[in-house]
Amino acid sequence: MPKSKIQDKTEVLRWFREGRTYAWMVQQYEEKYGITTSEPMWAAFRRRNGIDRRNLRSDDLLPWKLKEEHRHLYPAMMLRAEGRTRAGKPVSEVNARKLESWKRTLADDNLVVHYDPDTEEGFFYIPREDQDTDLIREPKVRTGHQARD
């Protein structure tokens, strides 16, 4: 087994607590130690050390396998923010305000989010029906992460 590139585990654990990005860690190690690392290396360190994922999977709110071009659209971002909120994870003040406004609009207009990967738009706001118990129209078949487990 090759020697670890990690020079100071305590330092790296502190970086994770501080919320440093993988890209920042790659750059820091190059500058500080002259050691070339990669983002997947830092992700593996996180997993091996039992550190929670930064990006929370919101399988209940995003039960679809999103196409790349739809992943960063506003409904997806808001559903992720809601997932973080429900999990007790931090959401920036700006995103918390956007989320509350977005949810208020959905409620006021009696709408839910629907996803259709075969369209350019991807996400749609559709009228809430009796079976809709959350912010989304539950798909007949879940295609997201939990469907692959």
Side-chain angles (χ1 to χ4, degrees), residues 31-89:
E31 290 173 6
K32 189 171 184 178
Y33 299 111
I35 297 174
T36 301
T37 62
S38 66
E39 292 186 20
M41 186 200 93
W42 296 110
F45 176 90
R46 177 196 50 77
R47 278 190 309 277
R48 281 193 311 272
N49 286 276
I51 300 168
D52 288 341
R53 290 179 53 90
R54 291 190 179 140
N55 295 329
L56 181 72
R57 285 199 175 104
S58 301
D59 293 340
D60 288 341
L61 294 171
L62 287 165
W64 315 280
K65 179 173 175 45
L66 301 183
K67 284 183 142 179
E68 182 63 36
E69 61 266 28
H70 299 149
R71 287 185 183 162
H72 301 289
L73 295 177
Y74 198 72
M77 292 184 340
M78 290 297 98
L79 290 167
R80 282 189 207 97
E82 176 66 9
R84 288 187 66 74
T85 300
R86 290 181 185 184
K89 301 287 185 181

Side-chain angles (χ1 to χ4, degrees), residues 4 10 26 31 34 38 45 47 63 72 87 89 93 107 112 121 123 129-130:
S4 174
T10 303
V26 167
E31 290 173 6
S38 66
F45 176 90
R47 278 190 309 277
H72 301 289
K89 301 287 185 181
E93 196 173 310
V112 293
E121 298 86 355
F123 288 97
E129 295 181 354
D130 290 341

Side-chain angles (χ1 to χ4, degrees), residues 15 19 38 51 59 62-63 74 87 100 102 119 134-135 144:
W15 291 349
S38 66
I51 300 168
D59 293 340
L62 287 165
Y74 198 72
E100 286 310 309
W102 182 75
T119 62
D134 209 339
L135 300 173

